[in-house]
Amino acid sequence: MSEQTAALFDEAVIPNYGRYPVCLERGEGSRVWDDQGRAYLDLFPGWGCNLLGHCPPKVVKAVQDQVAKLIHVPNTWYTEAQGRWAKMLSERSFGGKAFFCNSGAEANEAAIKLIRLHTPAERYKIITFQGGFHGRTIGAVTATAQPKYHEGLGPLMAGFTYAPFGDLDAVRELVDDETAGILIEPIQGEGGVRIPPEGFLQGLREIADENGLVLAFDEVQAGCGRTGEWFAYQHASLGDGGVTPDVITLAKSLCGGVAGGALLTTAEIAPSLRPGMHASTFGGNPIAAAAGIATIETIEEENLLGRASQISDAFAARLQPLVDKLPYVEELRACGLMIGLELSVDGSQVVQQCMERGLLINCTQGTVIRLLPAMTLTDAEVQEGCDILVNVIENLEL
């Protein structure tokens, strides 16, 4: 990275992110280049936002065409693209309606409001789960049951209770006359790619139905095709075809790397988010809508849902033997293109060494190597990425 860029950041950018000393300049597919001309294979593109890789041609063309016609209009007006985008999402989920915003945190804020608005006024509590992550705004971070994200922010928003992930008895004990809903990631992403035990999501559906609660799935990371289905709740290994939430929140992959978020809910619940109670100035803007439509069309035209499963299987074939071979590799967890390899040692050294060898990955929770690769990753790139990652892990100096 140039000294000039480093100086600019030191002088003018708030240092609230931990950054690697690399300045990325351009990207294509699963490859990015820095300002020194060095190429990297990116298995964590855009923190999972770039599900189609960097600069997917159809999304780029759709955005270019749109910005030449209309960049932004407020939601006091109609645009054909926003309506068409909502219908496409509805047809691929449970047939409900959409509210559009700009990010996952915004989508979850909308879900929190909707849960409270749809239930009687005396019911305001929402059950969330330890290890979950729902965003950085004050409501979303309160819903996030990880104490490290609460430090220094108190008092937090009232009305959240936390249950252990996978423990139905604990959820039942938390439900009382003031409980309005349940909010959960069907697969915990930032929490370490944690997949719920069999029957857990079905059990939550039953508890919600028995007590008149709204069941909301945070699919900000898992949704939009990443698991090999359009939405994680549709994945056979998670839902067994029998779990449909009342609300889904989406962002990250929703627009192929362009900022965009959404909440989907049933036609019955949707009117509770009535005029004047919630809004988003840029939500569902023409650029995001064009990108969102192009993303869905690309996934279907190129049969990428099926490709996600193929890539996942290829990674599993290379990474699972590490669990059997090395005592400090504890478990491989994967659902489509959400892949987590849990170590018993510090994972940051793996990230650093992979980056030095031209491979970009992520570590979450200190010990879980997290991969969120693009659906467009080639077989050769899977092999290249695995070769580097496996070599680094096998040769760690402990």
Side-chain angles (χ1 to χ4, degrees), residues 136-362:
R136 304 280 185 169
T137 55
I138 197 67
V141 83
T142 307
T144 295
Q146 297 193 57
K148 65 182 180 181
Y149 293 121
H150 297 169
E151 292 177 4
L153 297 179
L156 298 174
M157 183 177 163
F160 286 92
T161 54
Y162 309 131
F165 189 67
D167 189 338
L168 287 174
D169 290 338
V171 176
R172 289 192 179 92
E173 290 179 6
L174 287 173
V175 174
D176 60 24
D177 292 341
E178 296 177 329
T179 305
I182 299 170
L183 172 64
I184 185 170
E185 293 170 278
I187 303 171
Q188 290 189 342
E190 192 271 352
V193 191
R194 296 175 68 201
I195 298 169
E198 186 176 349
F200 180 62
L201 298 179
Q202 290 92 331
L204 293 182
R205 180 72 271 176
E206 292 170 7
I207 292 171
D209 291 342
E210 291 166 359
N211 295 278
L213 311 180
V214 176
L215 179 62
F217 281 5
D218 175 345
E219 296 217 21
V220 168
Q221 189 166 127
C224 307
R226 178 160 292 285
T227 66
E229 299 286 350
W230 275 114
F231 303 102
Y233 83 84
Q234 299 165 333
H235 209 285
S237 65
L238 297 178
D240 199 24
V243 180
T244 302
D246 303 306
V247 175
I248 311 173
T249 56
L250 304 169
K252 290 194 181 295
S253 306
L254 183 63
C255 302
V258 174
L263 175 150
L264 308 182
T265 189
T266 64
E268 177 193 359
I269 294 176
S272 293
L273 206 61
R274 56 189 185 274
M277 294 307 296
H278 197 57
S280 176
T281 298
F282 285 103
N285 70 77
I287 298 171
I293 291 169
T295 298
I296 293 172
E297 290 177 344
T298 299
I299 290 171
E300 293 188 332
E301 289 169 2
E302 299 183 15
N303 191 27
L304 293 177
L305 291 178
R307 178 61 186 159
S309 299
Q310 293 171 1
I311 294 170
S312 182
D313 291 345
F315 273 106
R318 289 295 306 277
L319 300 181
Q320 183 61 44
L322 293 177
V323 180
D324 304 323
K325 177 181 176 183
L326 301 173
Y328 51 90
V329 180
E330 296 193 338
E331 185 179 20
L332 175 67
R333 298 186 289 269
C335 185
L337 296 177
M338 295 183 73
I339 301 168
L341 188 65
E342 179 144 19
L343 311 179
S344 59
V345 297
D346 176 20
S348 64
Q349 58 184 320
V350 177
V351 175
Q352 180 67 34
Q353 290 184 36
C354 283
M355 186 175 67
E356 292 168 359
R357 300 187 190 192
L359 177 66
L360 303 184
I361 60 172
N362 172 256

Side-chain angles (χ1 to χ4, degrees), residues 20 22-56 354-355 357-361 372 374 376-377 381 384:
Y20 296 104
V22 173
C23 179
L24 297 178
E25 206 167 56
R26 65 186 177 91
E28 181 179 345
S30 289
R31 202 77 59 175
V32 289
W33 287 263
D34 67 17
D35 63 355
Q36 308 300 305
R38 186 182 183 195
Y40 302 82
L41 178 62
D42 193 355
L43 297 187
F44 199 70
W47 282 71
C49 298
N50 299 336
L51 183 61
L52 302 178
H54 293 276
C55 302
C354 283
M355 186 175 67
R357 300 187 190 192
L359 177 66
L360 303 184
I361 60 172
L372 299 175
T376 51
L377 197 69
E381 289 167 337
E384 177 186 343

Side-chain angles (χ1 to χ4, degrees), residues 70-147:
L70 193 62
I71 291 177
H72 176 65
V73 292
N75 280 302
T76 47
W77 308 99
Y78 291 91
T79 64
E80 186 273 342
Q82 186 182 128
R84 187 153 60 94
W85 187 25
K87 189 170 189 295
M88 293 173 80
L89 291 169
S90 175
E91 290 173 343
R92 287 155 183 79
S93 57
F94 45 65
K97 296 187 176 184
F99 161 80
F100 290 109
C101 50
N102 304 290
S103 68
E106 271 192 72
N108 284 325
E109 290 286 341
I112 292 166
K113 279 189 174 181
L114 179 60
I115 290 170
R116 289 188 171 187
L117 288 168
H118 188 68
T119 49
E122 68 274 16
R123 298 175 67 171
Y124 66 100
K125 293 180 182 175
I126 298 173
I127 298 170
T128 64
F129 293 86
Q130 294 169 5
F133 183 81
H134 300 289
R136 304 280 185 169
T137 55
I138 197 67
V141 83
T142 307
T144 295
Q146 297 193 57

